[in-house]
Amino acid sequence: MRIAIDAMGGDHAPKSNVEGALAAAELWKDTEIVLVGDQNQLEPLIDNKPANVTIHHASEVIEGEDEPVKSVRRKKDASMVVAGRMVEEGKADAMISAGNTGALMTTGLLVVGRMEGIERPALTSMFPTVDNKGVLVLDLGANMDAKPEHLVQYALMGSLYREKLHGLDRPRVGLLNVGTEAKKGNELTKAVYPLLEEMPINFVGNVEARDVLLGVCDVLICDGFAGNILLKTLEGTAGTLFSILKQEFTSSLKNKLAAAVLMPSLRGIKEKMDYKEYGGGLLIGLKGLVVKGHGSSDATAIKNAIRQARSAIQSGLNESISKEISGK
Amino acid sequence: MRIAIDAMGGDHAPKSNVEGALAAAELWKDTEIVLVGDQNQLEPLIDNKPANVTIHHASEVIEGEDEPVKSVRRKKDASMVVAGRMVEEGKADAMISAGNTGALMTTGLLVVGRMEGIERPALTSMFPTVDNKGVLVLDLGANMDAKPEHLVQYALMGSLYREKLHGLDRPRVGLLNVGTEAKKGNELTKAVYPLLEEMPINFVGNVEARDVLLGVCDVLICDGFAGNILLKTLEGTAGTLFSILKQEFTSSLKNKLAAAVLMPSLRGIKEKMDYKEYGGGLLIGLKGLVVKGHGSSDATAIKNAIRQARSAIQSGLNESISKEISGK
């Protein structure tokens, strides 16, 4: 299989991207990795190019501040766009980028293209849960104003994701809502609830935001706006708490000594709550596989994103979705 | 001033409600407190009734599982409804309830009534921030499908709240959104952004969910659905983290000893992140003052809610909102 990496996207690009790609190439000899980006910058970063790594030159870069739609349309030779085109043309089985999220979603829509029958692609990510099993949340922001029929497709795609990639049997699908009762919610969730009950999935009803981390469902669906609020509140609260803990634990010598004893435990908790450990997010519902790495991805995060792309390719996820949606 | 307490609402009612009311009556002699509820249950809980505490009998109770609109309409002699009627009739300056939230919002709308010129009341609450100044968030669920004009009124009411109750000069008003750029968001936030720019408030633009706890604004506005997701994700993440910390810190004798040293710091952080310390949430935009206590309110929480009601009455908040909205 062949995976295209946007070597120029992300806060630590191209260095971390190249390092992550080289580590992955070493680990998975069956995977051909294509680094897409400026040849002059990429070549000096590679001492001994492994046989399964190639460079595909792209002269432009989409920056973090670039306006998504405009930049994808205009920068036709941007590393992200070129990687997307490789997927669209069947020259790569998946693409990975840690660059501008809006531009990546636009690349997914305009360059890779929607899967037939899918109305809106969705951005997914695994969230940590206390039972260590994790929950797949979608949509995290690909589609801000979702309609009921979009959420129904998210439920189907998310369910297949957990089945195919994680081997779950009849994954429990929950609807993010303000209460557990069927009649709770806004117009969208109230309209989608009865539709989900009719679907050939294991719909377990409404899930409140406070219960998401407890592992009450395997797939959680929501519109992109609510998903973004959920994700960023989680990140913000965890981050704030850890920084307050750090401050308190170093505020006196006595506290410092005690905190040193607890450090391995604290580090474990921090890693557990860290979405980066879970690899990238899959942009789902497109003709090809697109993996979004976090903007601050280091080499390990890039390697994990490649691992995730490999699993998704091997699982036949896209073929399953296509079959389920359009019967093809 | 006179404050009516729904003595029967909440997980620890009527005991905690009575205890909190008695503590408040002791503290603020100028405040007349009316305990609304079943006389037979309330009287045995009071040994020496202070001069500024009275009981107003109400024969019915709205339970936690009751359907809000139906129960408010049918149980005309429910403690919550009777307290609301006292406010509507000018027999109390404010009412407090820790009972069924949906029923309380219905009581606000149908019994107390909307303030002239206000399209939708909003449920508010102070959230903790790392700079200890806190941020007022509204709406937290009074109105699930908000329109741009509703959010504009929230901005105005929230701004007056921080001015009148907390003495802030030109409070910074932020719009909860998925990115900081003006063009980000869903249809609602994109429509409301330019309207907020035209308002006579200190609008500081979009605020991402991850920055809310950092204290980047004094007032944060959002629709009730997003507000509920924000609040419950915050509660859920903090709660989950503290329970994981507890688990880890008691997992070995070594850890237990170290954690004991840090316990005062940990307790301080937990209190800081605890919304209960901040008193109840004000239901704003009604003809009278309605304070919602948390369902699990203990006596301290009830006392704090009374403190908050007193401050709101003394500040002339409702008169200011009315003047600003309808010019009256």
PDB file of all heavy atoms in Angstrom, chain A residues 130 145 178 186-187 208-210 225 230 232-233 235 240 248 255 258 265, chain B residues 130 145 178 186-187 208-210 225 230 232-233 235 240 248 255 258 265:
ATOM      1  N   VAL A 130     -12.335   6.536  30.658  1.00  0.00           N
ATOM      2  CA  VAL A 130     -11.744   5.969  31.884  1.00  0.00           C
ATOM      3  C   VAL A 130     -11.566   4.467  31.805  1.00  0.00           C
ATOM      4  O   VAL A 130     -10.688   3.903  32.472  1.00  0.00           O
ATOM      5  CB  VAL A 130     -12.573   6.320  33.153  1.00  0.00           C
ATOM      6  CG1 VAL A 130     -12.379   7.772  33.525  1.00  0.00           C
ATOM      7  CG2 VAL A 130     -14.034   6.001  32.973  1.00  0.00           C
ATOM      8  N   ASP A 145     -23.236  23.155  10.168  1.00  0.00           N
ATOM      9  CA  ASP A 145     -24.700  23.170  10.268  1.00  0.00           C
ATOM     10  C   ASP A 145     -25.263  21.869   9.717  1.00  0.00           C
ATOM     11  O   ASP A 145     -25.700  21.811   8.572  1.00  0.00           O
ATOM     12  CB  ASP A 145     -25.257  24.387   9.527  1.00  0.00           C
ATOM     13  CG  ASP A 145     -24.875  25.685  10.218  1.00  0.00           C
ATOM     14  OD1 ASP A 145     -25.463  25.976  11.265  1.00  0.00           O
ATOM     15  OD2 ASP A 145     -23.957  26.380   9.735  1.00  0.00           O
ATOM     16  N   VAL A 178     -28.448  17.200  25.516  1.00  0.00           N
ATOM     17  CA  VAL A 178     -28.474  17.918  26.795  1.00  0.00           C
ATOM     18  C   VAL A 178     -29.148  17.124  27.909  1.00  0.00           C
ATOM     19  O   VAL A 178     -29.219  17.579  29.051  1.00  0.00           O
ATOM     20  CB  VAL A 178     -29.179  19.282  26.654  1.00  0.00           C
ATOM     21  CG1 VAL A 178     -28.425  20.150  25.646  1.00  0.00           C
ATOM     22  CG2 VAL A 178     -30.624  19.102  26.209  1.00  0.00           C
ATOM     23  N   ASN A 186     -32.257  20.078  21.020  1.00  0.00           N
ATOM     24  CA  ASN A 186     -32.617  21.161  20.105  1.00  0.00           C
ATOM     25  C   ASN A 186     -33.351  20.542  18.908  1.00  0.00           C
ATOM     26  O   ASN A 186     -33.571  19.325  18.857  1.00  0.00           O
ATOM     27  CB  ASN A 186     -31.384  21.974  19.691  1.00  0.00           C
ATOM     28  CG  ASN A 186     -30.308  21.132  19.029  1.00  0.00           C
ATOM     29  OD1 ASN A 186     -30.535  19.968  18.708  1.00  0.00           O
ATOM     30  ND2 ASN A 186     -29.143  21.709  18.831  1.00  0.00           N
ATOM     31  N   GLU A 187     -33.727  21.372  17.957  1.00  0.00           N
ATOM     32  CA  GLU A 187     -34.496  20.861  16.813  1.00  0.00           C
ATOM     33  C   GLU A 187     -33.772  19.707  16.117  1.00  0.00           C
ATOM     34  O   GLU A 187     -34.376  18.716  15.735  1.00  0.00           O
ATOM     35  CB  GLU A 187     -34.751  21.994  15.812  1.00  0.00           C
ATOM     36  CG  GLU A 187     -35.882  22.919  16.257  1.00  0.00           C
ATOM     37  CD  GLU A 187     -35.953  24.198  15.416  1.00  0.00           C
ATOM     38  OE1 GLU A 187     -35.395  24.211  14.298  1.00  0.00           O
ATOM     39  OE2 GLU A 187     -36.560  25.173  15.895  1.00  0.00           O
ATOM     40  N   GLU A 208     -25.158  12.543  27.584  1.00  0.00           N
ATOM     41  CA  GLU A 208     -24.815  13.884  28.066  1.00  0.00           C
ATOM     42  C   GLU A 208     -23.301  14.084  28.002  1.00  0.00           C
ATOM     43  O   GLU A 208     -22.534  13.142  28.195  1.00  0.00           O
ATOM     44  CB  GLU A 208     -25.296  14.059  29.500  1.00  0.00           C
ATOM     45  CG  GLU A 208     -26.798  14.199  29.605  1.00  0.00           C
ATOM     46  CD  GLU A 208     -27.193  14.757  30.957  1.00  0.00           C
ATOM     47  OE1 GLU A 208     -27.040  15.971  31.176  1.00  0.00           O
ATOM     48  OE2 GLU A 208     -27.644  13.970  31.799  1.00  0.00           O
ATOM     49  N   ALA A 209     -22.902  15.332  27.795  1.00  0.00           N
ATOM     50  CA  ALA A 209     -21.482  15.650  27.657  1.00  0.00           C
ATOM     51  C   ALA A 209     -20.675  15.189  28.878  1.00  0.00           C
ATOM     52  O   ALA A 209     -19.532  14.776  28.752  1.00  0.00           O
ATOM     53  CB  ALA A 209     -21.303  17.152  27.436  1.00  0.00           C
ATOM     54  N   ARG A 210     -21.286  15.224  30.057  1.00  0.00           N
ATOM     55  CA  ARG A 210     -20.512  14.872  31.252  1.00  0.00           C
ATOM     56  C   ARG A 210     -20.201  13.376  31.326  1.00  0.00           C
ATOM     57  O   ARG A 210     -19.343  12.958  32.085  1.00  0.00           O
ATOM     58  CB  ARG A 210     -21.248  15.330  32.513  1.00  0.00           C
ATOM     59  CG  ARG A 210     -22.358  14.429  32.968  1.00  0.00           C
ATOM     60  CD  ARG A 210     -22.862  14.840  34.350  1.00  0.00           C
ATOM     61  NE  ARG A 210     -24.174  15.449  34.236  1.00  0.00           N
ATOM     62  CZ  ARG A 210     -24.525  16.588  34.811  1.00  0.00           C
ATOM     63  NH1 ARG A 210     -23.671  17.255  35.529  1.00  0.00           N
ATOM     64  NH2 ARG A 210     -25.728  17.067  34.663  1.00  0.00           N
ATOM     65  N   PHE A 225     -20.326  21.799  15.134  1.00  0.00           N
ATOM     66  CA  PHE A 225     -20.188  22.890  16.100  1.00  0.00           C
ATOM     67  C   PHE A 225     -20.132  22.314  17.519  1.00  0.00           C
ATOM     68  O   PHE A 225     -19.204  22.594  18.277  1.00  0.00           O
ATOM     69  CB  PHE A 225     -21.349  23.880  15.962  1.00  0.00           C
ATOM     70  CG  PHE A 225     -21.159  25.157  16.730  1.00  0.00           C
ATOM     71  CD1 PHE A 225     -20.477  26.228  16.166  1.00  0.00           C
ATOM     72  CD2 PHE A 225     -21.636  25.294  18.026  1.00  0.00           C
ATOM     73  CE1 PHE A 225     -20.291  27.415  16.871  1.00  0.00           C
ATOM     74  CE2 PHE A 225     -21.459  26.470  18.746  1.00  0.00           C
ATOM     75  CZ  PHE A 225     -20.780  27.537  18.164  1.00  0.00           C
ATOM     76  N   LEU A 230     -17.232  20.346  22.443  1.00  0.00           N
ATOM     77  CA  LEU A 230     -16.914  19.191  23.300  1.00  0.00           C
ATOM     78  C   LEU A 230     -15.403  18.948  23.334  1.00  0.00           C
ATOM     79  O   LEU A 230     -14.791  18.864  24.408  1.00  0.00           O
ATOM     80  CB  LEU A 230     -17.639  17.954  22.750  1.00  0.00           C
ATOM     81  CG  LEU A 230     -17.375  16.635  23.462  1.00  0.00           C
ATOM     82  CD1 LEU A 230     -18.113  16.572  24.795  1.00  0.00           C
ATOM     83  CD2 LEU A 230     -17.787  15.442  22.599  1.00  0.00           C
ATOM     84  N   LYS A 232     -12.829  20.867  22.457  1.00  0.00           N
ATOM     85  CA  LYS A 232     -11.977  21.942  22.975  1.00  0.00           C
ATOM     86  C   LYS A 232     -12.212  22.218  24.453  1.00  0.00           C
ATOM     87  O   LYS A 232     -11.305  22.678  25.142  1.00  0.00           O
ATOM     88  CB  LYS A 232     -12.149  23.200  22.136  1.00  0.00           C
ATOM     89  CG  LYS A 232     -11.511  23.016  20.764  1.00  0.00           C
ATOM     90  CD  LYS A 232     -11.481  24.290  19.971  1.00  0.00           C
ATOM     91  CE  LYS A 232     -10.870  24.056  18.599  1.00  0.00           C
ATOM     92  NZ  LYS A 232     -11.255  25.122  17.659  1.00  0.00           N
ATOM     93  N   THR A 233     -13.421  21.944  24.950  1.00  0.00           N
ATOM     94  CA  THR A 233     -13.654  22.092  26.390  1.00  0.00           C
ATOM     95  C   THR A 233     -12.866  21.013  27.129  1.00  0.00           C
ATOM     96  O   THR A 233     -12.247  21.273  28.165  1.00  0.00           O
ATOM     97  CB  THR A 233     -15.149  21.962  26.743  1.00  0.00           C
ATOM     98  OG1 THR A 233     -15.896  22.828  25.911  1.00  0.00           O
ATOM     99  CG2 THR A 233     -15.405  22.343  28.189  1.00  0.00           C
ATOM    100  N   GLU A 235     -10.100  19.453  26.075  1.00  0.00           N
ATOM    101  CA  GLU A 235      -8.679  19.829  26.011  1.00  0.00           C
ATOM    102  C   GLU A 235      -8.371  20.954  26.985  1.00  0.00           C
ATOM    103  O   GLU A 235      -7.391  20.917  27.723  1.00  0.00           O
ATOM    104  CB  GLU A 235      -8.326  20.310  24.597  1.00  0.00           C
ATOM    105  CG  GLU A 235      -8.059  19.240  23.590  1.00  0.00           C
ATOM    106  CD  GLU A 235      -7.707  19.845  22.233  1.00  0.00           C
ATOM    107  OE1 GLU A 235      -7.153  20.973  22.173  1.00  0.00           O
ATOM    108  OE2 GLU A 235      -8.010  19.195  21.237  1.00  0.00           O
ATOM    109  N   THR A 240      -5.891  23.058  31.648  1.00  0.00           N
ATOM    110  CA  THR A 240      -5.918  24.020  32.746  1.00  0.00           C
ATOM    111  C   THR A 240      -5.670  23.319  34.078  1.00  0.00           C
ATOM    112  O   THR A 240      -4.875  23.782  34.902  1.00  0.00           O
ATOM    113  CB  THR A 240      -7.292  24.738  32.791  1.00  0.00           C
ATOM    114  OG1 THR A 240      -7.501  25.376  31.537  1.00  0.00           O
ATOM    115  CG2 THR A 240      -7.339  25.769  33.898  1.00  0.00           C
ATOM    116  N   GLU A 248       0.727  24.255  41.780  1.00  0.00           N
ATOM    117  CA  GLU A 248       0.570  23.939  43.204  1.00  0.00           C
ATOM    118  C   GLU A 248       1.682  22.999  43.678  1.00  0.00           C
ATOM    119  O   GLU A 248       2.213  23.145  44.771  1.00  0.00           O
ATOM    120  CB  GLU A 248      -0.788  23.265  43.451  1.00  0.00           C
ATOM    121  CG  GLU A 248      -1.969  24.205  43.396  1.00  0.00           C
ATOM    122  CD  GLU A 248      -2.038  25.129  44.608  1.00  0.00           C
ATOM    123  OE1 GLU A 248      -1.467  24.774  45.653  1.00  0.00           O
ATOM    124  OE2 GLU A 248      -2.648  26.204  44.497  1.00  0.00           O
ATOM    125  N   ASN A 255       5.928  20.358  48.889  1.00  0.00           N
ATOM    126  CA  ASN A 255       5.069  19.904  47.792  1.00  0.00           C
ATOM    127  C   ASN A 255       5.895  19.276  46.668  1.00  0.00           C
ATOM    128  O   ASN A 255       5.508  18.276  46.088  1.00  0.00           O
ATOM    129  CB  ASN A 255       4.255  21.080  47.236  1.00  0.00           C
ATOM    130  CG  ASN A 255       2.991  21.327  48.054  1.00  0.00           C
ATOM    131  OD1 ASN A 255       2.806  20.732  49.117  1.00  0.00           O
ATOM    132  ND2 ASN A 255       2.139  22.214  47.567  1.00  0.00           N
ATOM    133  N   ALA A 258       6.924  15.727  47.548  1.00  0.00           N
ATOM    134  CA  ALA A 258       5.775  14.814  47.487  1.00  0.00           C
ATOM    135  C   ALA A 258       5.365  14.575  46.031  1.00  0.00           C
ATOM    136  O   ALA A 258       5.062  13.444  45.628  1.00  0.00           O
ATOM    137  CB  ALA A 258       4.607  15.381  48.285  1.00  0.00           C
ATOM    138  N   SER A 265       2.733   8.533  38.211  1.00  0.00           N
ATOM    139  CA  SER A 265       1.278   8.427  38.120  1.00  0.00           C
ATOM    140  C   SER A 265       0.696   9.597  37.339  1.00  0.00           C
ATOM    141  O   SER A 265      -0.156   9.433  36.472  1.00  0.00           O
ATOM    142  CB  SER A 265       0.646   8.420  39.511  1.00  0.00           C
ATOM    143  OG  SER A 265       0.996   7.252  40.197  1.00  0.00           O
TER     144      SER A 265
ATOM    145  N   VAL B 130      -8.892  30.557  35.735  1.00  0.00           N
ATOM    146  CA  VAL B 130      -7.603  30.447  36.430  1.00  0.00           C
ATOM    147  C   VAL B 130      -7.194  31.746  37.118  1.00  0.00           C
ATOM    148  O   VAL B 130      -6.456  31.723  38.102  1.00  0.00           O
ATOM    149  CB  VAL B 130      -6.455  29.985  35.486  1.00  0.00           C
ATOM    150  CG1 VAL B 130      -6.622  28.517  35.165  1.00  0.00           C
ATOM    151  CG2 VAL B 130      -6.414  30.813  34.226  1.00  0.00           C
ATOM    152  N   ASP B 145     -32.875  26.438  20.792  1.00  0.00           N
ATOM    153  CA  ASP B 145     -32.665  26.868  19.405  1.00  0.00           C
ATOM    154  C   ASP B 145     -32.701  28.391  19.328  1.00  0.00           C
ATOM    155  O   ASP B 145     -33.726  28.977  18.988  1.00  0.00           O
ATOM    156  CB  ASP B 145     -33.727  26.236  18.510  1.00  0.00           C
ATOM    157  CG  ASP B 145     -33.541  24.734  18.397  1.00  0.00           C
ATOM    158  OD1 ASP B 145     -32.617  24.322  17.682  1.00  0.00           O
ATOM    159  OD2 ASP B 145     -34.292  23.986  19.054  1.00  0.00           O
ATOM    160  N   VAL B 178     -16.068  28.237  17.240  1.00  0.00           N
ATOM    161  CA  VAL B 178     -15.097  27.186  16.918  1.00  0.00           C
ATOM    162  C   VAL B 178     -13.738  27.733  16.496  1.00  0.00           C
ATOM    163  O   VAL B 178     -12.808  26.965  16.240  1.00  0.00           O
ATOM    164  CB  VAL B 178     -15.639  26.256  15.811  1.00  0.00           C
ATOM    165  CG1 VAL B 178     -16.924  25.585  16.262  1.00  0.00           C
ATOM    166  CG2 VAL B 178     -15.882  27.039  14.521  1.00  0.00           C
ATOM    167  N   ASN B 186     -20.952  28.467  12.876  1.00  0.00           N
ATOM    168  CA  ASN B 186     -22.153  27.949  12.207  1.00  0.00           C
ATOM    169  C   ASN B 186     -23.021  29.144  11.783  1.00  0.00           C
ATOM    170  O   ASN B 186     -22.641  30.303  11.979  1.00  0.00           O
ATOM    171  CB  ASN B 186     -22.918  26.969  13.122  1.00  0.00           C
ATOM    172  CG  ASN B 186     -23.328  27.579  14.453  1.00  0.00           C
ATOM    173  OD1 ASN B 186     -23.201  28.784  14.657  1.00  0.00           O
ATOM    174  ND2 ASN B 186     -23.818  26.759  15.358  1.00  0.00           N
ATOM    175  N   GLU B 187     -24.161  28.845  11.203  1.00  0.00           N
ATOM    176  CA  GLU B 187     -25.002  29.943  10.693  1.00  0.00           C
ATOM    177  C   GLU B 187     -25.339  30.953  11.792  1.00  0.00           C
ATOM    178  O   GLU B 187     -25.320  32.161  11.561  1.00  0.00           O
ATOM    179  CB  GLU B 187     -26.306  29.363  10.115  1.00  0.00           C
ATOM    180  CG  GLU B 187     -26.119  28.770   8.733  1.00  0.00           C
ATOM    181  CD  GLU B 187     -27.326  27.961   8.269  1.00  0.00           C
ATOM    182  OE1 GLU B 187     -28.422  28.147   8.826  1.00  0.00           O
ATOM    183  OE2 GLU B 187     -27.157  27.136   7.346  1.00  0.00           O
ATOM    184  N   GLU B 208     -12.808  30.564  21.804  1.00  0.00           N
ATOM    185  CA  GLU B 208     -12.831  29.112  21.662  1.00  0.00           C
ATOM    186  C   GLU B 208     -13.071  28.451  23.009  1.00  0.00           C
ATOM    187  O   GLU B 208     -12.643  28.961  24.045  1.00  0.00           O
ATOM    188  CB  GLU B 208     -11.514  28.613  21.079  1.00  0.00           C
ATOM    189  CG  GLU B 208     -11.345  28.966  19.616  1.00  0.00           C
ATOM    190  CD  GLU B 208     -10.222  28.155  18.982  1.00  0.00           C
ATOM    191  OE1 GLU B 208     -10.427  26.956  18.728  1.00  0.00           O
ATOM    192  OE2 GLU B 208      -9.147  28.724  18.775  1.00  0.00           O
ATOM    193  N   ALA B 209     -13.730  27.283  22.969  1.00  0.00           N
ATOM    194  CA  ALA B 209     -14.071  26.573  24.205  1.00  0.00           C
ATOM    195  C   ALA B 209     -12.825  26.300  25.059  1.00  0.00           C
ATOM    196  O   ALA B 209     -12.889  26.312  26.279  1.00  0.00           O
ATOM    197  CB  ALA B 209     -14.787  25.266  23.883  1.00  0.00           C
ATOM    198  N   ARG B 210     -11.670  26.084  24.423  1.00  0.00           N
ATOM    199  CA  ARG B 210     -10.481  25.728  25.211  1.00  0.00           C
ATOM    200  C   ARG B 210      -9.942  26.919  26.014  1.00  0.00           C
ATOM    201  O   ARG B 210      -9.157  26.739  26.936  1.00  0.00           O
ATOM    202  CB  ARG B 210      -9.402  25.141  24.310  1.00  0.00           C
ATOM    203  CG  ARG B 210      -8.586  26.142  23.561  1.00  0.00           C
ATOM    204  CD  ARG B 210      -7.384  25.482  22.879  1.00  0.00           C
ATOM    205  NE  ARG B 210      -7.580  25.402  21.441  1.00  0.00           N
ATOM    206  CZ  ARG B 210      -7.401  24.307  20.716  1.00  0.00           C
ATOM    207  NH1 ARG B 210      -7.022  23.207  21.273  1.00  0.00           N
ATOM    208  NH2 ARG B 210      -7.608  24.333  19.427  1.00  0.00           N
ATOM    209  N   PHE B 225     -27.964  24.994  23.757  1.00  0.00           N
ATOM    210  CA  PHE B 225     -27.428  23.665  23.494  1.00  0.00           C
ATOM    211  C   PHE B 225     -25.916  23.667  23.673  1.00  0.00           C
ATOM    212  O   PHE B 225     -25.364  22.860  24.414  1.00  0.00           O
ATOM    213  CB  PHE B 225     -27.794  23.223  22.063  1.00  0.00           C
ATOM    214  CG  PHE B 225     -27.510  21.769  21.788  1.00  0.00           C
ATOM    215  CD1 PHE B 225     -28.459  20.797  22.081  1.00  0.00           C
ATOM    216  CD2 PHE B 225     -26.307  21.364  21.246  1.00  0.00           C
ATOM    217  CE1 PHE B 225     -28.206  19.441  21.840  1.00  0.00           C
ATOM    218  CE2 PHE B 225     -26.045  20.020  20.995  1.00  0.00           C
ATOM    219  CZ  PHE B 225     -27.000  19.059  21.288  1.00  0.00           C
ATOM    220  N   LEU B 230     -20.833  22.787  26.846  1.00  0.00           N
ATOM    221  CA  LEU B 230     -19.675  23.411  27.497  1.00  0.00           C
ATOM    222  C   LEU B 230     -19.672  23.111  28.993  1.00  0.00           C
ATOM    223  O   LEU B 230     -18.688  22.610  29.554  1.00  0.00           O
ATOM    224  CB  LEU B 230     -19.727  24.924  27.270  1.00  0.00           C
ATOM    225  CG  LEU B 230     -18.629  25.756  27.920  1.00  0.00           C
ATOM    226  CD1 LEU B 230     -17.309  25.596  27.170  1.00  0.00           C
ATOM    227  CD2 LEU B 230     -19.009  27.238  27.945  1.00  0.00           C
ATOM    228  N   LYS B 232     -21.327  20.859  30.812  1.00  0.00           N
ATOM    229  CA  LYS B 232     -21.264  19.456  31.228  1.00  0.00           C
ATOM    230  C   LYS B 232     -19.947  18.793  30.849  1.00  0.00           C
ATOM    231  O   LYS B 232     -19.522  17.849  31.512  1.00  0.00           O
ATOM    232  CB  LYS B 232     -22.453  18.690  30.672  1.00  0.00           C
ATOM    233  CG  LYS B 232     -23.739  19.115  31.379  1.00  0.00           C
ATOM    234  CD  LYS B 232     -24.887  18.225  31.048  1.00  0.00           C
ATOM    235  CE  LYS B 232     -26.156  18.711  31.736  1.00  0.00           C
ATOM    236  NZ  LYS B 232     -27.357  18.192  31.056  1.00  0.00           N
ATOM    237  N   THR B 233     -19.293  19.271  29.776  1.00  0.00           N
ATOM    238  CA  THR B 233     -17.974  18.727  29.452  1.00  0.00           C
ATOM    239  C   THR B 233     -16.985  19.164  30.518  1.00  0.00           C
ATOM    240  O   THR B 233     -16.140  18.397  30.974  1.00  0.00           O
ATOM    241  CB  THR B 233     -17.486  19.208  28.071  1.00  0.00           C
ATOM    242  OG1 THR B 233     -18.499  18.982  27.109  1.00  0.00           O
ATOM    243  CG2 THR B 233     -16.225  18.464  27.660  1.00  0.00           C
ATOM    244  N   GLU B 235     -17.647  19.986  33.687  1.00  0.00           N
ATOM    245  CA  GLU B 235     -17.935  19.214  34.903  1.00  0.00           C
ATOM    246  C   GLU B 235     -17.436  17.780  34.775  1.00  0.00           C
ATOM    247  O   GLU B 235     -16.805  17.242  35.682  1.00  0.00           O
ATOM    248  CB  GLU B 235     -19.456  19.147  35.133  1.00  0.00           C
ATOM    249  CG  GLU B 235     -20.074  20.347  35.787  1.00  0.00           C
ATOM    250  CD  GLU B 235     -21.588  20.160  35.986  1.00  0.00           C
ATOM    251  OE1 GLU B 235     -22.052  19.020  36.148  1.00  0.00           O
ATOM    252  OE2 GLU B 235     -22.284  21.179  35.957  1.00  0.00           O
ATOM    253  N   THR B 240     -13.909  13.549  36.208  1.00  0.00           N
ATOM    254  CA  THR B 240     -13.191  12.346  35.809  1.00  0.00           C
ATOM    255  C   THR B 240     -11.728  12.433  36.221  1.00  0.00           C
ATOM    256  O   THR B 240     -11.159  11.491  36.769  1.00  0.00           O
ATOM    257  CB  THR B 240     -13.287  12.150  34.276  1.00  0.00           C
ATOM    258  OG1 THR B 240     -14.662  12.072  33.919  1.00  0.00           O
ATOM    259  CG2 THR B 240     -12.572  10.892  33.836  1.00  0.00           C
ATOM    260  N   GLU B 248      -5.213   6.935  41.574  1.00  0.00           N
ATOM    261  CA  GLU B 248      -3.760   6.791  41.471  1.00  0.00           C
ATOM    262  C   GLU B 248      -3.073   7.093  42.801  1.00  0.00           C
ATOM    263  O   GLU B 248      -2.127   6.418  43.194  1.00  0.00           O
ATOM    264  CB  GLU B 248      -3.209   7.749  40.403  1.00  0.00           C
ATOM    265  CG  GLU B 248      -3.513   7.326  38.979  1.00  0.00           C
ATOM    266  CD  GLU B 248      -2.653   6.136  38.539  1.00  0.00           C
ATOM    267  OE1 GLU B 248      -1.585   5.913  39.130  1.00  0.00           O
ATOM    268  OE2 GLU B 248      -3.086   5.417  37.611  1.00  0.00           O
ATOM    269  N   ASN B 255       2.416   6.317  47.435  1.00  0.00           N
ATOM    270  CA  ASN B 255       1.588   7.356  46.840  1.00  0.00           C
ATOM    271  C   ASN B 255       0.676   8.015  47.883  1.00  0.00           C
ATOM    272  O   ASN B 255       0.504   9.228  47.884  1.00  0.00           O
ATOM    273  CB  ASN B 255       0.727   6.778  45.716  1.00  0.00           C
ATOM    274  CG  ASN B 255       1.484   6.719  44.387  1.00  0.00           C
ATOM    275  OD1 ASN B 255       2.705   6.948  44.357  1.00  0.00           O
ATOM    276  ND2 ASN B 255       0.780   6.409  43.322  1.00  0.00           N
ATOM    277  N   ALA B 258       2.607  10.536  49.965  1.00  0.00           N
ATOM    278  CA  ALA B 258       2.929  11.742  49.199  1.00  0.00           C
ATOM    279  C   ALA B 258       1.664  12.578  48.966  1.00  0.00           C
ATOM    280  O   ALA B 258       1.679  13.807  49.083  1.00  0.00           O
ATOM    281  CB  ALA B 258       3.567  11.356  47.864  1.00  0.00           C
ATOM    282  N   SER B 265      -3.535  21.367  48.901  1.00  0.00           N
ATOM    283  CA  SER B 265      -3.486  21.972  47.562  1.00  0.00           C
ATOM    284  C   SER B 265      -4.559  21.379  46.667  1.00  0.00           C
ATOM    285  O   SER B 265      -5.264  22.090  45.955  1.00  0.00           O
ATOM    286  CB  SER B 265      -2.127  21.725  46.906  1.00  0.00           C
ATOM    287  OG  SER B 265      -1.122  22.413  47.588  1.00  0.00           O
TER     288      SER B 265
END
